[in-house]
Amino acid sequence: MSEFSLIEKYFSDIGQKRQDVLLSVGDDAAIVDVENLKQLAISVDTLIAGVHFPENTSAYDIGWKSLAVNLSDMAAMGAQPCWVTLAIALPKPEQRWLEQFSQGFSELAKKNNVQLIGGDTTRGTLSVTVQIIGHVESEQILKRSNAKVGDRIFVTGNLGDAGLALQSYLKNISLSESDHENVYARLNRPEPRVAFALAQKHLINAAIDISDGLYADLAHILKASSVGADIQFDQIPLSETYQKYLVDHKPYDLALAGGDDYELCVTVPECHVEEFRANAKLTDCKCTEIGSIVEGDKLSFWDKFGNNYTLQSQAYDHFPKDKR
Ligand code: ADP
Ligand code: MG
């Protein structure tokens, strides 16, 4: 199959057909109509086999995840995602693989009203780069630098399942087959919180998506905003599976530093907390208060008895060299 018929067959009809796309896959560049938009939000992320996902990850899941991590960045900015481009390097073009990859990618794109409008296809070690473009009103951009002392801190979903899945894959922990499947789905098919962010952004001061673990990502908000945070670690939302397996001496480490959750961490000013909570109930997205922004520059973890929690390692190395 020639390069061009491959592009035509697998990449020319991915995602939602949008009215504002004047030219899509097939010309030298894509053309979109931005007449009614003011600010564009632009972001790019690369996933490399064996680094950002295990080598044996299914094509469908790679397609899904490569878009999901970019949608998650749009959510964290309060931006409405619109268009994506895809640069993909493939060791050898296998039809079945391409079919499933484009299915995973397209399904999530359609859910989010996003269209694939162009890209580049080359031969090489499997790597997938997705660039995403969205729009956001300037007064509602969710910056990392806007957290204020007194803000309450919330996170969406559950934390730690993706980290648990990776530990299971690396055989550091042994899960039952069904538990492994549950958490593995969370690692491979994260649900980017776009709808939640768009519905709540007018009530939020600062936001970040949790890709490297709450500890590392919340620290970015604190640094950018010159504030500290007190987190009640026993309030951190954990799945049933997580609660079942993590009874070792550092039970919260994976939830705090496991990475790959792609949930949102947001700070909400006191005056908006009630409305934020009520709105959250209307979305089908779990949302949990875990602490508050304080003066200073420290990130501390406490339980309700005032006990402090210190992490063994502040960010997990996803693929330690001897395990690759
Ligand atoms: P050029 O030589 O002009 O760069 P290409 O042969 O790289 O053109 O691509 C041809 C067309 O196919 C372009 O419109 C490009 O955006 C699109 N395209 C190539 N690869 C992909 C891909 N993986 N996903 C989506 N569109 C792609
Ligand atoms: Mg090209």
Side-chain angles (χ1 to χ4, degrees):
M1 184 184 265
S2 77
E3 183 193 320
F4 200 74
S5 49
L6 182 153
I7 294 167
E8 172 77 23
K9 184 158 182 207
Y10 298 109
F11 297 127
S12 66
D13 185 23
I14 288 197
Q16 192 65 41
K17 279 228 175 325
R18 293 177 58 101
Q19 297 280 321
D20 54 14
V21 176
L22 306 184
L23 265 182
S24 182
V25 175
D27 217 311
D28 295 312
I31 309 288
V32 297
D33 181 358
V34 291
E35 197 183 341
N36 298 317
L37 307 181
K38 285 201 182 131
Q39 285 78 33
L40 296 179
I42 303 168
S43 170
V44 64
D45 261 311
T46 297
L47 302 187
I48 295 172
V51 180
H52 300 100
F53 54 84
E55 304 269 3
N56 67 352
T57 305
S58 76
Y60 183 97
D61 288 347
I62 296 169
W64 177 286
K65 189 167 182 177
S66 62
L67 178 58
V69 302
N70 283 277
L71 289 169
S72 182
D73 282 324
M74 290 287 113
M77 296 309 294
Q80 170 85 60
C82 302
W83 314 286
V84 286
T85 62
L86 164 67
I88 188 166
L90 296 161
K92 52 181 184 307
E94 280 173 26
Q95 307 234 16
R96 216 177 115 74
W97 193 96
L98 282 161
E99 222 160 77
Q100 291 175 355
F101 174 90
S102 58
Q103 256 177 31
F105 197 108
S106 194
E107 199 167 301
L108 187 60
K110 283 192 175 125
K111 264 185 155 182
N112 287 277
N113 197 26
V114 161
Q115 184 173 345
L116 178 66
I117 58 170
D120 197 29
T121 306
T122 53
R123 199 177 276 262
T125 310
L126 178 61
S127 110
V128 183
T129 300
V130 174
Q131 180 182 49
I132 191 160
I133 304 168
H135 71 87
V136 59
E137 302 83 2
S138 59
E139 61 282 4
Q140 283 185 6
I141 300 168
L142 301 180
K143 293 183 193 152
R144 295 178 180 185
S145 58
N146 201 39
K148 304 276 191 275
V149 172
D151 283 2
R152 309 284 189 81
I153 302 169
F154 291 82
V155 292
T156 59
N158 292 319
L159 302 187
D161 281 358
L164 186 57
L166 211 41
Q167 293 309 307
S168 167
Y169 167 76
L170 294 171
K171 305 219 179 327
N172 292 335
I173 188 163
S174 162
L175 310 186
S176 78
E177 206 170 302
S178 69
D179 285 336
H180 178 83
E181 266 167 35
N182 283 341
V183 291
Y184 225 66
R186 299 272 297 132
L187 173 68
N188 286 334
R189 292 187 297 283
E191 281 288 345
R193 303 303 187 182
V194 176
F196 182 87
L198 292 176
Q200 298 274 46
K201 63 181 176 180
H202 60 296
L203 305 171
I204 294 171
N205 268 350
I208 194 164
D209 68 320
I210 305 173
S211 53
D212 295 329
L214 179 70
Y215 183 91
D217 289 317
L218 178 55
H220 292 313
I221 288 188
L222 302 185
K223 185 152 191 266
S225 301
S226 304
V227 291
D230 281 341
I231 301 297
Q232 249 198 285
F233 64 84
D234 50 358
Q235 296 299 308
I236 289 180
L238 305 171
S239 70
E240 274 176 32
T241 308
Y242 189 105
Q243 292 178 46
K244 197 153 82 187
Y245 286 95
L246 287 182
V247 287
D248 67 6
H249 66 297
K250 283 288 173 193
Y252 290 92
D253 271 30
L254 284 175
L256 295 175
D260 268 15
D261 295 312
Y262 296 102
E263 296 294 347
L264 292 180
C265 173
V266 304
T267 83
V268 179
E270 181 77 44
C271 61
H272 287 152
V273 164
E274 208 175 308
E275 192 181 348
F276 179 85
R277 278 217 191 88
N279 269 2
K281 283 207 184 102
L282 301 177
T283 67
D284 60 357
C285 171
K286 180 175 172 182
C287 183
T288 311
E289 183 174 344
I290 58 164
S292 51
I293 298 289
V294 296
E295 280 175 19
D297 58 5
K298 286 200 177 54
L299 172 51
S300 331
F301 296 95
W302 306 96
D303 68 8
K304 56 177 170 292
F305 307 110
N307 298 311
N308 188 251
Y309 185 89
T310 43
L311 285 145
Q312 192 150 305
S313 59
Q314 297 175 349
Y316 269 81
D317 185 358
H318 286 182
F319 293 92
K321 282 201 180 60
D322 56 326
K323 295 268 171 74
R324 267 185 201 167

